[in-house]
Amino acid sequence: MTKEAMRTLLADSTAPRDPRGRGDHYRSHLVDAHRTIEILQLRIKELEQERDKIKQAREYELSLCVTRTTAEDERLAAFRLARGKAAMLAEGPDGIPTGMSHAIDCIPDPKPKWSK
């Protein structure tokens, strides 16, 4: 409130006395105000575009992330696949289990690394 009163007082005190000059004076202030508004609106648009780009980048980065439970499940699945392949390679001819393939099958699953 006080700032607006000061601006009004300043504009009124610098206005010429004759009505025509006074009208021109206030019109010049309006033109300056409109220019300032246009500049601010452009800046707001730029900031909104920048904000949208940052949001998109954040959403993309989040899409590359996985949860701990998903990572743990995939880690366990990879271990089981590797253990199964190793046991298959250790089997005898025609897929007959051997002592080594049985020992590989008996290897326990790893303990959780990222979850409890």
Side-chain angles (χ1 to χ4, degrees), residues 1-61:
M1 258 337 235
T2 307
K3 286 184 180 180
E4 283 191 37
M6 289 299 292
R7 287 186 191 132
T8 305
L9 181 66
L10 181 65
D12 287 343
S13 68
T14 58
R17 296 258 181 236
D18 67 16
R20 177 177 232 148
R22 189 172 282 253
D24 292 341
H25 173 75
Y26 286 123
R27 275 192 285 283
S28 71
H29 279 290
L30 281 174
V31 168
D32 290 342
H34 283 291
R35 284 186 193 136
T36 303
I37 289 170
E38 287 174 359
I39 290 169
L40 290 174
Q41 286 175 337
L42 288 173
R43 182 66 180 137
I44 288 170
K45 269 187 185 176
E46 291 171 358
L47 289 172
E48 286 174 344
Q49 288 173 350
E50 188 177 328
R51 179 201 62 203
D52 292 343
K53 285 180 185 176
I54 291 170
K55 279 185 179 180
Q56 287 175 349
R58 180 181 173 271
E59 288 171 5
Y60 174 73
E61 287 174 3

Side-chain angles (χ1 to χ4, degrees), residues 70-86 109-110 114:
T70 304
E72 196 66 60
D73 292 343
E74 294 302 318
R75 178 176 173 262
L76 188 59
F79 175 81
R80 288 178 178 159
L81 178 67
R83 181 177 59 198
K85 282 196 166 229
D109 288 343
W114 301 293

